Short mmCIF file of all heavy atoms in Angstrom, two decimals:
data_model
loop_
_atom_site.label_atom_id
_atom_site.label_comp_id
_atom_site.label_asym_id
_atom_site.label_seq_id
_atom_site.Cartn_x
_atom_site.Cartn_y
_atom_site.Cartn_z
N GLU A 437 155.18 153.14 235.33
CA GLU A 437 155.47 151.72 235.40
C GLU A 437 156.45 151.50 236.66
O GLU A 437 157.22 152.25 237.02
CB GLU A 437 156.26 151.22 234.10
CG GLU A 437 155.31 151.30 232.81
CD GLU A 437 156.03 150.70 231.52
OE1 GLU A 437 157.31 150.34 231.78
OE2 GLU A 437 155.57 150.75 230.59
N THR A 438 156.12 150.16 237.13
CA THR A 438 156.99 149.81 238.39
C THR A 438 157.70 148.42 238.08
O THR A 438 157.31 147.76 237.06
CB THR A 438 156.05 149.57 239.64
OG1 THR A 438 155.37 148.30 239.32
CG2 THR A 438 155.02 150.62 239.66
N ALA A 439 158.63 148.12 238.94
CA ALA A 439 159.24 146.83 238.79
C ALA A 439 158.68 145.71 239.63
O ALA A 439 159.33 144.78 240.14
CB ALA A 439 160.71 147.05 239.19
N PHE A 440 157.42 146.01 239.93
CA PHE A 440 156.56 144.93 240.64
C PHE A 440 155.36 144.75 239.97
O PHE A 440 154.16 145.03 240.15
CB PHE A 440 156.07 145.64 242.05
CG PHE A 440 157.19 145.76 243.00
CD1 PHE A 440 158.16 146.89 242.93
CD2 PHE A 440 157.41 144.85 244.03
CE1 PHE A 440 159.13 147.04 243.80
CE2 PHE A 440 158.41 145.09 244.87
CZ PHE A 440 159.25 146.09 244.81
N PRO A 441 155.44 143.87 238.79
CA PRO A 441 154.43 143.59 237.86
C PRO A 441 153.36 142.66 238.63
O PRO A 441 153.82 141.79 239.53
CB PRO A 441 154.97 142.80 236.74
CG PRO A 441 156.26 142.32 237.37
CD PRO A 441 156.77 143.48 238.25
N GLY A 442 152.05 142.86 238.44
CA GLY A 442 151.04 142.21 239.10
C GLY A 442 150.59 142.86 240.44
O GLY A 442 149.58 142.32 241.11
N GLY A 443 151.01 144.03 240.78
CA GLY A 443 150.55 144.67 242.06
C GLY A 443 149.19 145.18 241.79
O GLY A 443 148.84 145.74 240.88
N ILE A 444 148.39 145.14 242.96
CA ILE A 444 147.07 145.66 243.00
C ILE A 444 146.99 146.32 244.39
O ILE A 444 147.30 145.86 245.43
CB ILE A 444 146.10 144.51 243.00
CG1 ILE A 444 146.33 143.64 241.69
CG2 ILE A 444 144.61 145.03 243.02
CD1 ILE A 444 145.40 142.53 241.60
N TRP A 445 146.20 147.39 244.33
CA TRP A 445 145.77 148.04 245.64
C TRP A 445 144.22 148.14 245.73
O TRP A 445 143.59 147.97 244.65
CB TRP A 445 146.29 149.65 245.54
CG TRP A 445 147.62 149.68 246.16
CD1 TRP A 445 148.44 148.82 246.52
CD2 TRP A 445 148.23 150.99 246.39
NE1 TRP A 445 149.63 149.38 247.03
CE2 TRP A 445 149.46 150.67 246.89
CE3 TRP A 445 148.00 152.32 246.16
CZ2 TRP A 445 150.38 151.63 247.36
CZ3 TRP A 445 148.80 153.40 246.49
CH2 TRP A 445 150.10 152.98 246.94
N TYR A 446 143.79 148.08 246.90
CA TYR A 446 142.23 148.13 247.13
C TYR A 446 141.86 149.25 248.12
O TYR A 446 142.63 149.71 248.83
CB TYR A 446 141.94 146.84 247.74
CG TYR A 446 142.24 145.45 246.93
CD1 TYR A 446 143.40 144.85 247.17
CD2 TYR A 446 141.35 145.05 246.10
CE1 TYR A 446 143.79 143.59 246.55
CE2 TYR A 446 141.59 143.92 245.21
CZ TYR A 446 142.85 143.27 245.55
OH TYR A 446 143.07 142.17 244.78
N SER A 447 140.59 149.53 248.01
CA SER A 447 140.11 150.50 248.99
C SER A 447 138.71 149.81 249.73
O SER A 447 138.08 149.07 248.84
CB SER A 447 139.61 151.82 248.43
OG SER A 447 138.79 151.65 247.17
N PHE A 448 138.51 150.04 250.94
CA PHE A 448 137.57 149.34 251.62
C PHE A 448 136.69 150.44 252.42
O PHE A 448 137.22 150.92 253.51
CB PHE A 448 138.10 148.31 252.58
CG PHE A 448 138.73 147.12 251.89
CD1 PHE A 448 140.05 147.10 251.55
CD2 PHE A 448 137.97 146.10 251.47
CE1 PHE A 448 140.67 146.04 250.98
CE2 PHE A 448 138.59 144.97 250.92
CZ PHE A 448 139.84 144.97 250.58
N PRO A 449 135.65 150.77 252.03
CA PRO A 449 134.67 151.82 252.61
C PRO A 449 133.92 151.26 253.77
O PRO A 449 133.32 150.11 253.74
CB PRO A 449 133.76 152.31 251.55
CG PRO A 449 133.52 151.04 250.67
CD PRO A 449 134.85 150.38 250.70
N GLY A 450 134.14 151.91 255.04
CA GLY A 450 133.57 151.20 256.27
C GLY A 450 132.07 150.94 256.12
O GLY A 450 131.50 149.99 256.64
N ASN A 451 131.31 151.86 255.41
CA ASN A 451 129.83 151.68 255.35
C ASN A 451 129.57 150.46 254.45
O ASN A 451 128.40 150.12 254.36
CB ASN A 451 129.24 152.90 254.69
CG ASN A 451 128.91 153.98 255.78
OD1 ASN A 451 128.72 153.56 257.03
ND2 ASN A 451 128.95 155.29 255.42
N GLY A 452 130.44 149.86 253.89
CA GLY A 452 130.24 148.61 253.16
C GLY A 452 130.12 147.36 254.00
O GLY A 452 129.86 146.27 253.56
N THR A 453 130.24 147.54 255.38
CA THR A 453 130.28 146.41 256.26
C THR A 453 128.94 146.52 257.22
O THR A 453 128.81 145.69 258.11
CB THR A 453 131.46 146.43 257.20
OG1 THR A 453 131.40 147.59 258.08
CG2 THR A 453 132.75 146.31 256.35
N ARG A 454 127.87 147.19 256.73
CA ARG A 454 126.79 147.43 257.59
C ARG A 454 125.79 146.28 257.29
O ARG A 454 124.70 146.35 256.86
CB ARG A 454 126.05 148.68 257.32
CG ARG A 454 126.91 149.89 257.77
CD ARG A 454 126.42 151.21 257.26
NE ARG A 454 124.93 151.43 257.60
CZ ARG A 454 124.55 152.19 258.66
NH1 ARG A 454 125.46 152.65 259.46
NH2 ARG A 454 123.30 152.37 258.86
N CYS A 455 126.28 144.93 257.37
CA CYS A 455 125.42 143.72 257.03
C CYS A 455 124.65 143.33 258.23
O CYS A 455 124.94 143.77 259.38
CB CYS A 455 126.38 142.73 256.66
SG CYS A 455 127.44 142.99 255.28
N ASP A 456 123.52 142.67 258.04
CA ASP A 456 122.87 142.00 259.10
C ASP A 456 123.84 141.22 260.13
O ASP A 456 124.71 140.58 259.55
CB ASP A 456 121.82 141.06 258.62
CG ASP A 456 120.54 141.89 258.01
OD1 ASP A 456 120.30 142.94 258.45
OD2 ASP A 456 119.99 141.41 257.04
N ALA A 457 123.39 141.23 261.30
CA ALA A 457 124.33 140.50 262.27
C ALA A 457 124.58 139.09 261.98
O ALA A 457 125.56 138.56 262.20
CB ALA A 457 123.90 140.82 263.66
N ASP A 458 123.57 138.41 261.47
CA ASP A 458 123.53 136.99 261.00
C ASP A 458 124.07 136.63 259.75
O ASP A 458 124.10 135.46 259.30
CB ASP A 458 122.25 136.33 261.38
CG ASP A 458 121.23 136.92 260.51
OD1 ASP A 458 121.47 138.01 259.77
OD2 ASP A 458 119.98 136.31 260.52
#
Side-chain angles (χ1 to χ4, degrees):
E437 292 184 1
T438 75
F440 289 81
I444 303 173
W445 272 4
Y446 299 96
S447 55
F448 293 93
N451 276 331
T453 63
R454 293 167 58 93
C455 305
D456 285 327
D458 58 353

